């Protein structure tokens, strides 16, 4: 078939492209409970940085060694705080020059937690586009809880929040 017989008539919107890249980045996650990734984009629609959640360099990976909050320390079994660095923090670190994030939009698979929202506010992110809501795992795995402080801070600082409701093309199952 000649390519002229079936010309392309559609392409991904900016939101579709960037959110699907964030979802794709989330597939690198080492967390057993939160699969999230993010993409930082400047006002010219250029990708500035990406990140996904996982342990800091050289630390235990939750998928391999268990969650510190739920399964405990691999050596002692004692419950501890989460070892993970969230996608947003890793994205900020990966940027190398945080001045490039001033005025940026972040596309994220999960809405930022309060700690990440504080960091996003400090680097000057102006818009958050998120796919799903974040709920913190309680210590011991005894349920989940919302973090309303993150929304409150964003609203206080004039950070635009948009829920992404477009298609996800990266529905890979990496659970096996």
């Amino acid at each position: 078939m000649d390519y002229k017989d079936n010309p392309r008539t559609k392409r991904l919107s900016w939101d579709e492209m960037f959110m699907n890249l964030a979802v794709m980045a989330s597939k690198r996650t080492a967390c057993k409970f939160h699969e999230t990734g993010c993409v930082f984009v400047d006002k010219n629609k250029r990708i500035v940085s990406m990140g996904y959640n996982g342990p800091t360099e050289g630390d235990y990976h939750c998928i391999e060694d268990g969650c510190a909050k739920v399964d405990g320390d691999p050596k002692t079994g004692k419950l501890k705080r989460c070892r993970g660095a969230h996608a947003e923090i890793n994205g900020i670190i990966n940027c190398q020059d945080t001045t490039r994030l001033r005025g940026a939009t972040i596309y994220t698979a999960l809405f930022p937690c309060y700690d990440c929202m504080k960091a996003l506010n400090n680097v000057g992110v102006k818009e958050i586009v998120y796919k799903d809501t974040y709920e913190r795992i309680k210590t011991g795995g005894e349920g989940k809880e919302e973090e309303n402080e993150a929304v409150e801070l964003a609203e206080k600082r004039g950070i635009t929040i948009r829920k992404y409701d477009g298609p996800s093309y990266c529905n890979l199952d990496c659970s096996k």
Side-chain angles (χ1 to χ4, degrees):
M1 178 166 111
D2 190 349
Y3 72 92
K4 293 179 189 174
D5 294 335
N6 191 16
R8 236 173 37 111
T9 59
K10 295 180 184 178
R11 65 182 185 158
L12 295 178
S13 70
W14 288 116
D15 278 357
E16 288 171 331
M17 183 176 83
F18 295 134
M19 185 57 73
N20 279 277
L21 286 171
V23 171
M24 182 62 79
S26 78
K27 302 307 177 179
R28 282 284 305 154
T29 295
C31 178
K32 292 169 62 172
F33 300 104
H34 293 109
E35 186 176 276
T36 189
C38 68
V39 176
F40 289 87
V41 179
D42 71 13
K43 64 183 178 183
N44 296 314
K45 305 290 188 215
R46 293 184 186 117
I47 296 171
V48 176
S49 188
M50 297 175 72
Y52 58 89
N53 63 325
T56 59
E57 188 174 342
D59 206 349
Y60 294 113
H61 281 239
C62 299
I63 292 173
E64 298 164 3
D65 300 303
C67 173
K69 286 178 76 170
V70 176
D71 305 312
D73 183 277
K75 293 183 179 177
T76 66
K78 181 180 175 186
L79 294 180
K80 293 187 172 184
R81 294 185 61 191
C82 175
R83 291 185 291 265
H86 289 188
E88 300 88 345
I89 300 302
N90 281 324
I92 291 169
I93 292 166
N94 291 340
C95 179
Q96 297 182 347
D97 176 5
T98 59
T99 62
R100 297 179 64 209
L101 298 177
R102 188 149 301 280
T105 296
I106 182 174
Y107 289 83
T108 182
L110 290 180
F111 190 81
C113 73
Y114 184 46
D115 287 336
C116 289
M117 184 63 75
K118 291 183 279 186
L120 295 173
N121 176 54
N122 279 350
V123 298
V125 165
K126 290 297 177 197
E127 183 176 25
I128 298 166
V129 182
Y130 73 99
K131 186 172 179 298
D132 294 316
T133 304
Y134 169 76
E135 292 181 312
R136 178 179 46 233
I137 303 291
K138 291 183 178 181
T139 300
E142 304 296 324
K144 297 178 180 181
E145 59 189 350
E146 291 185 20
E147 290 189 345
N148 298 326
E149 302 92 344
V151 173
E152 292 170 7
L153 177 58
E155 289 173 350
K156 180 180 179 181
R157 297 296 298 144
I159 299 170
T160 302
I161 299 171
R162 284 194 297 125
K163 172 118 172 70
Y164 176 77
D165 61 359
S168 290
Y169 300 108
C170 302
N171 294 323
L172 304 172
D173 181 8
C174 296
S175 63
K176 297 172 177 94

